[in-house]
Amino acid sequence: AQKITQTQPGMFVQEKEAVTLDCTYDTSDPSYGLFWYKQPSSGEMIFLIYQGSYDQQNATEGRYSLNFQKARKSANLVISASQLGDSAMYFCAMREGRGAQKLVFGQGTRLTINP
Amino acid sequence: GAGVSQSPRYKVAKRGQDVALRCDPISGHVSLFWYQQALGQGPEFLTYFQNEAQLDKSGLPSDRFFAERPEGSVSTLKIQRTQQEDSAVYLCASSLNTGQRNEKLFFGSGTQLSVL
């Protein structure tokens, strides 16, 4: 079974609009962390935001925020006031358990910002 | 260095050739990971090192894949007798290994391997 599911292969948004990228996850471990990474055409994965399973509030980092709905096992990324430079692949990832190290990634969403 | 460095950036190999991909992690980073990313897909975990110890190699697809990190710094991913299905981008990542759940991985730009 997929641990991380991103159901939107591609998204097209007008510049300055907000966009939500969906992510659902599957785990039976009560302790886990969720990450979002951006991958521009250069190939490097850039960390955007983190949400822990015990965090009471939704994470925010500048224009990025995470809509964390624990009961639904969803962790959607919200980008406000999108910019042309936001065009890239976006990946949701999860780390399970304590001390576990590796991240498990979803299939990604390709976001295109139109001028 | 300032970031994770991978070389070569591009590698073209004939089917059956052996290849070696290099990763220089961020100085002082204890943990090192290799991922394989097929075109249009998310990264798939291959293997994990803590210093020189390879603690998890559950993602290596076959015994043709071998990774090492002999001095706990630079790592090499070796693929023997390459096949067309090995064509992918190979990403290396490193982290401090604080044990915290929120510890992020720092990625290199990857090596794009094409097997003809």
Side-chain angles (χ1 to χ4, degrees):
Chain A
Q2 287 285 342
K3 289 279 187 180
I4 298 287
T5 301
Q6 295 181 254
T7 57
Q8 306 154 311
M11 290 278 287
F12 295 85
V13 173
Q14 287 297 119
E15 191 179 7
K16 300 181 184 177
E17 288 184 351
V19 57
T20 297
L21 305 182
D22 295 341
C23 172
T24 58
Y25 58 92
D26 180 26
T27 181
S28 57
D29 196 316
S31 176
Y32 55 90
L34 297 158
F35 299 74
W36 277 91
Y37 278 82
K38 171 184 178 181
Q39 188 179 42
S41 55
S42 60
E44 186 174 343
M45 301 280 280
I46 302 167
F47 168 77
L48 296 178
I49 195 167
Y50 167 83
Q51 180 83 45
S53 59
Y54 297 119
D55 293 345
Q56 295 297 311
Q57 295 189 343
N58 287 342
T60 60
E61 290 282 351
R63 293 186 300 113
Y64 304 107
S65 60
L66 209 150
N67 183 1
F68 182 45
Q69 298 187 44
K70 195 170 182 177
R72 295 185 178 184
K73 294 189 175 179
S74 76
N76 298 340
L77 176 70
V78 180
I79 306 174
S80 63
S82 58
Q83 302 171 357
L84 295 179
D86 294 334
S87 294
M89 285 290 291
Y90 288 80
F91 293 97
C92 180
M94 177 172 65
R95 172 181 288 134
E96 294 177 285
R98 299 178 185 277
Q101 293 287 316
K102 69 182 181 186
L103 296 184
V104 176
F105 285 84
Q107 298 289 79
T109 296
R110 179 171 295 281
L111 176 63
T112 302
I113 308 298
N114 296 316
Chain B
V4 178
S5 178
Q6 292 188 245
S7 60
R9 186 74 176 90
Y10 302 95
K11 177 69 179 177
V12 178
K14 291 183 179 179
R15 191 173 55 182
Q17 279 186 330
D18 298 347
V19 298
L21 313 180
R22 177 188 169 102
C23 173
D24 268 287
I26 293 173
S27 179
H29 277 195
V30 170
S31 296
L32 186 144
F33 305 80
W34 284 100
Y35 283 83
Q36 180 190 59
Q37 186 176 21
L39 186 64
Q41 303 296 311
E44 296 279 347
F45 171 78
L46 292 177
T47 187
Y48 160 60
F49 289 86
Q50 185 172 316
N51 293 309
E52 68 277 6
Q54 189 175 19
L55 299 186
D56 187 349
K57 53 182 180 179
S58 61
L60 296 177
S62 76
D63 57 7
R64 296 186 296 104
F65 286 72
F66 172 77
E68 61 183 4
R69 193 186 184 198
E71 297 179 358
S73 178
V74 171
S75 177
T76 303
L77 176 67
K78 298 179 180 178
I79 308 174
Q80 296 178 323
R81 304 180 303 281
T82 53
Q83 299 177 7
Q84 286 188 322
E85 60 261 32
D86 299 334
S87 295
V89 174
Y90 290 85
L91 293 168
C92 177
S94 69
S95 70
L96 283 168
N97 191 32
T98 63
Q100 299 297 316
R101 261 197 322 275
N102 64 350
E103 183 171 286
K104 59 188 178 187
L105 303 189
F106 294 82
F107 283 82
S109 295
T111 293
Q112 184 172 324
L113 173 65
S114 299
V115 182
L116 306 179

